[in-house]
Amino acid sequence: MYADIVFTGGTVRTGAPEGSVHGALAVTGGRITALGAQALDARGPRTAVVDLAGGALLPAFGDGHVHPVMGGLGLAGVPVRDLGSVEKIVETVRGWAAEHPETEWITGDGFDPWLAPDGRFDARWLDAAVPDRPVVLRTMDHHTAWVNSEALRRAGYTAGTPDPAGGEILRRDGSAEPLGTLREFGALGPVLALIPTATHEAQVAALREAAARFAAAGVTWVQDAWVEPHQADVWVTAATTEPGLPVRADLAFVLEPDGWRERVLRFTADRDKVESSAPGLLTARSVKFFADGVVEAGTAALLEPYTDCPHSHGIANWSHEELAEAVTAVDALGFRAHLHAIGDGGVRMALDAIEAAVRANGARDRRPVIAHAQLIDPGDLARFAALGVIANLQPLWAQPDPLMTELTLPRIGPERGARQYQIAALLASGARLSFGSDWPVTAHEPLRGIATAVTRQTPEGLPEGGWLPEERIDIDTALTAYSAGCAHQAFEEKEWGALRPGMRADLVHLAADPAGIAPADLAHLPVLGTWLAGRRTHDATTPHSTRAGRR
């Protein structure tokens, strides 16, 4: 029987534990059928032959923690990402507002939180550009918003407004007047709730745009790590109407402390609806929890106080007891807990909640996920492997960029600062690891994260030898975390994540073999093609080829 596709003319890296390398690969019916000489023998008169042109074919990447709908919608607002100063942001907001006089709420995502001293952004700076319409800009980590006075007024924030549960309203020095900086979702919520919700059609379009970007980066599976109730329908529409989606996904329904017992009752029906609507493409097996905030905003939960704020341990979004109860409840329904936990206090609380679920519901292959795990207490490191917890890390964060040097390190000091993003230590402990981007927080391209995991350096190559160099990993290990590690997280390690006969043909074609180039150059290695079960979803040589349905 002849193959549908044969790849030849380059290196085929299987990603299997033995690290085997071949010169060809054959695909029939969306699955890998042969490697090496047997693949070449499978060529027939109707076989499509793909010339790797000296490049490499690898297992396609996954992304174990990402926000596609949110990221896609964020592309439509004020383009504040990568602007290098407060002044440039203000001028960009001014120009965008003038070009969109019909837009009542002016929004933008992704600006850098270190652009103002101590991350304190003043509403009056935005008032100078737009005094009569509300402006809401969110930092790249999405845990902080910079708003103007009109947005504060509409949300009802005054000097008499107390800090809400799970949030902080920064005040002007020497007064109780809101400054214009809101931290964490308890404080952001009243403002965000006033912004008109994008239409279903707009959200579907945003999701398609995001999925196309992932396909162009070699990604064929994503974990949507924050799905509001209505967004399940967005995924179903995008997956079941033309042109379809170029990625598979697992959806994680978000569960917040307020009223969680009532909301969790609908999750099983939502899961069944998603999985019956798009079998083989969508699953909905996860529930997302926010254990805490982020270090740079002083809201990650720490076991010991912040160095620059000795009275504060950060913000835990749940009580210890209630998080354990909620995780146990969703675990009993067969969902996998997916917990955002950044500070060592947040990580411990997440581990304790998972341990409580195991104790209450019994042993099984549950594969809970703790995402980010920026700071882990030494006494908790071994608990990841003991509890079967997958550490989903964002390797692009493991570098001394301005976020680290200007905000994070001053807040936690040198001792805690020296045990961040312990990628190698987690692996050495026996923990399972997957990688993700947290896009739109940071760049979605896996190769950029892989380069950082290997070098622990900034794009400029600093510091020499890498930041916390003992936590560097090799290229094969980093590639595995972005492929087989994500497949394990998806409960699909027998289906994808390696190139073996019988597995789905989820493939990525790189312009060169990553094992043969300098680690720092990995971030710039072109992705020439991506295939989802043998269907081409990205072709770098064809304009607009990242749209689903292209072959």
Side-chain angles (χ1 to χ4, degrees), residues 98-113:
E99 294 171 2
H100 299 80
E102 77 291 347
T103 303
E104 181 182 9
W105 283 80
I106 297 167
T107 62
D109 288 344
F111 74 94
D112 295 326

Side-chain angles (χ1 to χ4, degrees), residues 39-88:
L40 294 174
D41 290 343
R43 289 176 293 187
R46 296 187 178 181
T47 299
V49 177
V50 177
D51 183 4
L52 297 175
L57 192 71
L58 285 78
F61 303 122
D63 191 307
H65 186 99
V66 68
H67 309 289
V69 178
M70 178 192 301
L73 290 172
L75 297 171
V78 184
V80 296
R81 186 179 293 272
D82 298 326
L83 296 180
S85 69
V86 166
E87 293 76 18
K88 288 182 179 178

Side-chain angles (χ1 to χ4, degrees), residues 128-374:
V130 184
D132 56 343
R133 286 182 280 168
V135 179
V136 181
L137 308 178
R138 297 179 73 174
T139 53
M140 45 82 77
D141 58 25
H142 277 234
H143 287 255
T144 294
W146 174 20
V147 302
N148 70 346
S149 296
E150 179 62 14
L152 290 171
R153 184 190 70 78
R154 295 199 188 191
Y157 284 156
T158 69
T161 305
D163 281 350
E168 182 183 10
I169 305 167
L170 271 61
R171 315 287 174 164
R172 297 195 186 282
D173 291 338
S175 81
E177 289 293 329
L179 174 67
T181 299
L182 308 175
R183 289 179 175 166
E184 291 306 324
F185 303 114
L188 272 64
V191 175
L192 299 180
L194 298 174
I195 300 173
T197 302
T199 66
H200 179 80
E201 293 74 19
Q203 292 183 69
V204 170
L207 174 56
R208 292 196 193 283
E209 176 60 31
R213 290 173 179 240
F214 276 96
V219 173
T220 57
W221 177 86
V222 297
Q223 174 75 70
D224 188 331
W226 187 346
V227 177
E228 301 285 353
H230 67 278
Q231 289 174 337
D233 290 335
V234 173
W235 274 100
V236 168
T237 298
T240 58
T241 59
E242 290 295 331
L245 284 174
V247 295
R248 298 184 189 89
D250 181 60
L251 312 188
F253 302 121
V254 67
L255 190 60
E256 296 168 326
D258 185 32
W260 71 266
R261 290 175 180 83
E262 292 72 31
R263 275 180 287 127
V264 79
L265 297 176
R266 64 173 290 172
F267 284 172
T268 301
D270 289 344
R271 174 180 59 193
D272 293 346
K273 177 181 178 181
V274 168
E275 298 191 353
S276 63
S277 298
L281 194 64
L282 300 182
T283 59
R285 300 170 179 166
S286 304
V287 174
K288 167 70 174 292
F289 300 85
F290 282 97
D292 63 353
V294 292
V295 174
E296 60 267 22
T299 57
L302 301 183
L303 295 174
E304 299 296 330
Y306 278 86
T307 301
D308 66 336
C309 191
H311 68 276
S312 175
H313 288 254
I315 296 177
N317 292 320
W318 295 74
S319 71
H320 189 282
E321 295 75 18
E322 197 156 23
L323 180 63
E325 184 182 352
V327 169
T328 299
V330 302
D331 179 77
L333 294 173
F335 288 97
R336 182 234 323 274
H338 188 110
L339 298 108
H340 163 116
I342 282 187
D344 51 9
V347 170
R348 177 169 294 179
M349 187 163 64
L351 288 167
D352 287 348
I354 293 166
E355 187 171 36
V358 172
R359 188 166 53 247
N361 298 329
R364 74 166 192 272
D365 184 10
R366 47 179 40 88
R367 305 187 193 183
V369 175
I370 293 181
H372 315 317
Q374 179 173 345

